Amino acid sequence: MQHIRAHVLICAGTGCTASGAKRVEAALQEELAKKGLDKEIKIVETGCHGFCEAGPLVIVYPEGTFYVRVQEEDVPELVESHLYKGRIVERLLYKEPVTHESVPNYNDLSFYKKQQRMVLANCGHINPEVIGDYIASGGYEALAKALTGMSPTEVVAEVKKSGLRGRGGGGFPTGMKWGFTQNAVGDKKYVVCNADEGDPGAFMDRSVLEGDPHRVIEGMAICGYAIGADEGYLYVRAEYPLAIKRLRIAIDQAEEMGLLGENIFGSGFNFRLKIKEGAGAFVCGEETALLASIEGKRGMPRPRPPFPAISGLWGKPTNINNVETFANIPQIINKGSAWYASIGTEKSKGTKVFALTGRINHTGLAEVPMGISMREIIFDIGGGIIGGKKFKAVQIGGPSGGCLPEQLLDLPVDYDSLIQVGAMMGSGGLVVMDETTCMVDLAKFFLAFTQAESCGKCTPCREGTKRMLEILNRITEGNGKEGDIELLEEMSRNIKNTALCGLGQTAPNPVLSTLRYFRNEYEAHITEKRCPAGACSALTGYSITELCKGCGLCKKSCPVEAISGEIKGRHNINSEACIKCGACIAKCPFKAIIKG
Amino acid sequence: MSKDQTNQCCCGGNNEQFAKLDEVLVKYEGVKGALIPVLQEAQNVYGYLSKDIITRIGEKLGIATSQIYGVATFYSQFHLKPRGRNIIRVCQGTACHVRGAKAILQALEDNLKISAGSTTPDLKFTLETVACIGACGLAPVLMINDDTHGRLTPEAIPGILAKYA
């Protein structure tokens, strides 16, 4: 066997590929060949590290040196210096945003230090297109253990005891759900994986599917054994082409090795998986809508009961879980429910993957034990707010969730504590906002989203969200009326109580939670016709600061002649005449014109 | 969408064009829940779903045309009008929203001189918005065909468009 003295890991996730990872890889291959190092140094394409912000990412093992934003021009130096002479290339190391220190080693980055990567353990460390990599890291051991040493009832009991709750949003106990489907009467049962990750701002499912697809497949197969299903579907949104490609490869490889198909591990258990591509409808993340979509119909929810566990896909008992839920299963079977239940809080066990985005220094995926405080996630792992601005709020749970203001940052994050403060875990998207984000505009953003994605089946969601959006539009345009806030609250209550599905019932949440914590911003918009964050353009005035050199470009660009001033003297905007078109800001070479 | 828009079809009655569709239909014969994959593949072949294509699929699968129309108009992926050679999808997700996605869309609309949801008269570009591409780490982002472009600024838009013109 050839001796490989170093491995160069290149992230080939969506983020890094968009930042040029493929070009870096090609350059690296060429450079290694040129130097005659291609026999002793191996390039490995990996899945997502969850640190897309700093991509393309390159890690050199055995040292574990972590290089960020590597471009093809950097490759000759990287090869010459690090791989040839053994000297770390200082300028390509990650620099901590607060201390400005450069960090050579992967494990020492503040972004990774506080994380507990279990579901994401393999992401970024194995080649997701090679089943051998997954098996070498302990993959499919759990399936073997379940099939050869445990009865289906024992598997369900183990998942129940682990305390695992659904990671897709609602947080329903997974073991209980499995138990319902196991006990349901039916000649045919199905396992369905919900990979229709539609929440704007969430991408953990995408990263797991792209970086470690076998973990999900193994979890689904174990579920199939437990509930008595021999067929499963992965419903993946079409916006994730790379995830679909990697899943196809993974399913083919698993079938080839006999890990899917007939008589797996000689146990007599058969299990096959199919991929269904979504066709672009947010509501299909709701389980009954998702099933309708697999059946080739319009993806509209139906009332429950009957729950899918009793009557699901084509009327057969069906167990649906989210990607991250299935990805948790192999380790529960391998290491035992007691181990799993030792992580997390009393009612929320294990870890949760959060997608950190927005006005934050470290955008990316953070897997942390349940019960950690929001402050630790945002400031220790996330590296704080961009540009040292002031933290204002964090939106958790996407369009169904709510926002948490500064005073709730020390709240331990778990399913129940979030519900208490008017937010929800949702899929785990965290969008961080600073003082420049307008909370009314944010609520409007989410409502515009749910309104556009409403399937139209039930009136409260179809009509109610539309009327609420109209009210929010008029508030942000400066035409808010006395009583608008109360009307919003009343409509929110009605929609929550009467909408057909979970998406409709939670659609008013962003409005209710911004009203709960930032009511003053709504009032400022309505009574003072002012946007405190300076984000709503209809309510924002423009002014010219002392940076003005008097060049006159703004005066020429103004379509309504609202700017006055002499050449070489500071200009002035007449706010009465100004139509806030922004033309002057775009023209000013000195950045002297500000909104606010 | 009105019916006459779907009538503007360039492939009506062209049997050679239907040959590819028939291949797809044979592949899915007897498969349960095949309608959506069939529509997806048909759209891959023809670029959009014309009235003739929908009618033919209905005949072959034994599904009412009205039902197919219902499914095709429910999902944002399906198109009943011809589309541009390059499909631009601008992300309007939360992460992109707080990092300036509005200005990116504005820049695209200004450059292409069309509004979101429409196609340039020369059929070069179709401009669409999407809820989230899931590349939030690079916000604001857009996709042109299968390429993802991230960390955008309005100033970068003309250069990106030029690559596809």
Side-chain angles (χ1 to χ4, degrees):
Chain A
M1 201 178 132
Q2 235 168 16
H3 178 70
I4 304 283
R5 70 168 170 90
H7 285 84
V8 181
L9 274 54
I10 298 183
C11 176
T14 299
C16 285
T17 303
S19 306
K22 293 281 169 191
R23 292 194 298 275
V24 173
E25 190 184 347
L28 193 60
Q29 250 156 5
E30 197 182 310
E31 194 67 21
L32 287 179
K34 211 160 54 180
K35 287 251 187 314
L37 296 172
D38 50 336
K39 297 278 183 293
E40 52 192 280
I41 294 169
K42 192 175 169 192
I43 300 173
V44 182
E45 264 190 29
T46 71
C48 182
H49 294 263
F51 198 25
C52 317
E53 168 85 28
L57 302 174
V58 172
I59 306 181
V60 183
Y61 279 105
E63 301 92 325
T65 312
F66 190 71
Y67 290 117
V68 298
R69 298 214 175 178
V70 180
Q71 292 299 319
E72 48 186 329
E73 310 79 271
D74 302 322
V75 168
E77 185 185 348
L78 189 72
V79 172
E80 171 74 23
S81 174
H82 190 142
L83 298 169
Y84 206 72
K85 295 178 182 159
R87 288 182 204 146
I88 286 173
V89 185
E90 189 80 19
R91 67 176 183 88
L92 294 175
L93 295 176
Y94 184 70
K95 287 177 191 59
E96 293 288 352
V98 181
T99 59
H100 301 290
E101 276 171 29
S102 46
V103 188
N105 203 287
Y106 189 73
N107 298 315
D108 294 332
L109 259 77
S110 62
F111 179 70
Y112 290 110
K113 245 187 192 165
K114 277 211 173 172
Q115 294 200 38
Q116 189 169 353
R117 295 201 149 208
M118 293 166 21
V119 167
L120 299 177
N122 285 341
C123 284
H125 296 278
I126 65 168
N127 184 334
E129 298 186 9
V130 178
I131 192 172
D133 278 22
Y134 181 62
I135 294 174
S137 70
Y140 288 107
E141 273 175 25
L143 181 63
K145 184 175 170 185
L147 293 189
T148 57
M150 296 167 84
S151 71
T153 308
E154 281 169 348
V155 173
V156 173
E158 196 68 8
V159 175
K160 269 187 196 163
K161 273 189 283 179
S162 75
L164 175 65
R165 294 170 67 174
R167 297 291 191 248
F172 190 80
T174 306
M176 231 182 337
K177 208 175 194 182
W178 287 24
F180 293 149
T181 323
Q182 189 195 30
N183 294 329
V185 184
D187 50 341
K188 174 93 183 171
K189 294 179 186 176
Y190 293 100
V191 178
V192 173
C193 176
N194 184 347
D196 191 44
E197 186 174 50
D199 274 12
F203 53 102
M204 60 286 289
D205 293 350
R206 167 183 208 150
S207 291
V208 172
L209 293 173
E210 287 180 3
D212 200 8
H214 286 286
R215 185 182 295 267
V216 181
I217 293 173
E218 186 179 6
M220 288 182 75
I222 292 169
C223 175
Y225 174 70
I227 66 167
D230 64 352
E231 205 178 331
Y233 284 92
L234 283 136
Y235 187 90
V236 191
R237 63 195 294 241
E239 288 87 343
Y240 288 180
L242 186 61
I244 292 171
K245 180 188 150 211
R246 298 233 164 106
L247 272 173
R248 283 197 205 288
I249 295 172
I251 290 173
D252 286 347
Q253 289 177 343
E255 280 180 358
E256 219 167 273
M257 298 199 68
L259 297 164
L260 286 176
E262 307 288 308
N263 195 18
I264 302 167
F265 289 119
S267 64
F269 169 64
N270 309 326
F271 193 67
R272 290 203 179 274
L273 276 180
K274 289 185 186 133
I275 296 174
K276 278 275 177 179
E277 277 182 48
F282 173 70
V283 68
C284 289
E286 198 279 340
E287 58 182 17
T288 58
L290 186 150
L291 294 176
S293 180
I294 293 182
E295 292 172 2
K297 300 179 196 152
R298 288 165 72 96
M300 297 200 285
R302 61 159 177 78
R304 299 174 303 181
F307 285 89
I310 307 298
S311 173
L313 193 58
W314 288 298
K316 307 289 182 196
T318 303
N319 181 77
I320 309 181
N321 287 126
N322 155 272
V323 171
E324 196 186 330
T325 313
F326 280 123
N328 267 294
I329 297 296
Q331 54 182 355
I332 291 173
I333 299 298
N334 263 334
K335 298 184 188 168
S337 56
W339 164 80
Y340 193 83
S342 71
I343 302 160
T345 62
E346 193 198 335
K347 285 186 178 157
S348 302
K349 300 298 187 189
T351 57
K352 175 78 192 95
V353 183
F354 290 101
L356 281 174
T357 59
R359 313 286 307 162
I360 192 165
N361 277 316
H362 295 163
T363 308
L365 291 181
E367 183 175 353
V368 290
M370 295 273 190
I372 191 173
S373 75
M374 195 56 88
R375 189 182 298 280
E376 285 173 276
I377 299 176
I378 293 171
F379 288 92
D380 296 349
I381 296 171
I385 311 298
I386 294 178
K389 287 216 162 64
K390 197 172 172 302
F391 170 87
K392 184 174 197 173
V394 56
Q395 170 79 19
I396 178 164
S400 306
C403 65
L404 303 179
E406 166 111 52
Q407 66 265 30
L408 288 175
L409 274 180
D410 291 308
L411 184 85
V413 178
D414 66 23
Y415 289 100
D416 311 292
S417 63
L418 287 172
I419 295 278
Q420 269 173 21
V421 295
M424 70 185 272
M425 185 76 82
S427 54
L430 293 180
V431 184
V432 175
M433 287 153 298
D434 64 18
E435 54 205 330
T436 64
T437 315
C438 166
M439 301 311 281
V440 186
D441 181 62
L442 181 85
K444 187 177 88 174
F445 168 81
F446 279 117
L447 210 63
F449 175 80
T450 33
Q451 205 281 314
E453 293 293 340
S454 169
C455 79
K457 187 168 177 173
C458 74
T459 320
C461 176
R462 184 185 66 238
E463 301 296 331
T465 55
K466 185 139 188 123
R467 297 288 94 82
M468 283 180 73
L469 183 60
E470 283 169 2
I471 298 171
L472 287 172
N473 271 332
R474 77 168 175 246
I475 293 176
T476 53
E477 282 162 8
N479 302 319
K481 293 187 291 208
E482 191 80 9
D484 272 352
I485 294 179
E486 292 71 22
L487 187 56
L488 281 173
E489 285 173 327
E490 188 190 337
M491 295 185 73
S492 297
R493 268 195 309 274
N494 288 340
I495 296 173
K496 262 177 113 79
N497 291 333
T498 56
L500 171 64
C501 79
L503 298 180
Q505 288 155 12
T506 54
N509 279 358
V511 176
L512 287 174
S513 96
T514 46
L515 269 174
R516 181 166 173 179
Y517 299 112
F518 298 96
R519 199 181 185 94
N520 55 345
E521 288 199 20
Y522 281 81
E523 287 163 353
H525 281 76
I526 295 171
T527 53
E528 300 164 36
K529 308 293 175 204
R530 187 173 64 86
C531 172
C536 298
S537 58
L539 298 174
T540 313
Y542 288 66
S543 57
I544 299 178
T545 66
E546 68 277 9
L547 292 172
C548 175
K549 300 263 190 289
C551 71
L553 280 177
C554 56
K555 193 172 162 183
K556 272 188 217 149
S557 74
C558 179
V560 291
E561 294 174 3
I563 300 178
S564 57
E566 297 303 317
I567 292 294
K568 290 192 178 168
R570 183 164 159 187
H571 283 49
N572 200 9
I573 300 180
N574 171 7
S575 57
E576 298 281 300
C578 173
I579 56 165
K580 295 150 188 166
C581 66
C584 53
I585 291 193
K587 275 281 170 345
C588 178
F590 310 106
K591 298 197 166 65
I593 305 176
I594 54 163
K595 284 201 278 188
Chain B
M1 182 173 305
S2 71
K3 268 190 171 173
D4 50 288
Q5 279 169 307
T6 59
N7 269 335
Q8 301 162 352
C9 167
C10 57
C11 57
N14 183 337
N15 279 329
E16 207 174 297
Q17 280 280 12
F18 276 143
K20 283 185 194 155
L21 176 62
D22 290 344
E23 272 174 41
V24 174
L25 287 164
V26 166
K27 197 166 97 188
Y28 285 97
E29 218 177 309
V31 176
K32 272 204 282 187
L35 179 57
I36 291 172
V38 165
L39 292 177
Q40 283 168 332
E41 292 202 23
Q43 184 166 279
N44 279 345
V45 174
Y46 298 98
Y48 71 107
L49 301 170
S50 68
K51 188 179 172 188
D52 296 319
I53 292 168
I54 289 179
T55 310
R56 182 121 179 145
I57 291 173
E59 282 165 9
K60 296 276 174 177
L61 293 182
I63 302 174
T65 318
S66 59
Q67 199 184 331
I68 301 181
Y69 183 78
V71 170
T73 51
F74 183 82
Y75 296 98
S76 61
Q77 193 186 21
F78 298 122
H79 304 279
L80 307 183
K81 277 193 285 187
R83 300 210 302 154
R85 283 193 297 283
N86 298 295
I87 312 296
I88 307 173
R89 297 183 179 89
V90 200
C91 184
Q92 301 291 301
T94 329
C96 290
H97 177 78
V98 300
R99 285 200 183 186
K102 265 187 208 163
I104 303 298
L105 180 60
Q106 189 63 51
L108 282 160
E109 290 181 333
D110 292 349
N111 269 282
L112 296 170
K113 300 189 177 60
I114 52 171
S115 57
S118 50
T119 301
T120 53
D122 59 4
L123 292 183
K124 257 187 199 162
F125 291 102
T126 294
L127 180 61
E128 292 171 354
T129 58
V130 291
C132 183
I133 298 174
C136 314
L138 306 176
V141 291
L142 63 78
M143 275 177 92
I144 301 186
N145 307 326
D146 283 338
D147 307 334
T148 309
H149 299 270
R151 302 188 188 107
L152 297 170
T153 56
E155 294 75 42
I157 297 300
I160 293 173
L161 290 177
K163 287 184 203 160
Y164 296 87

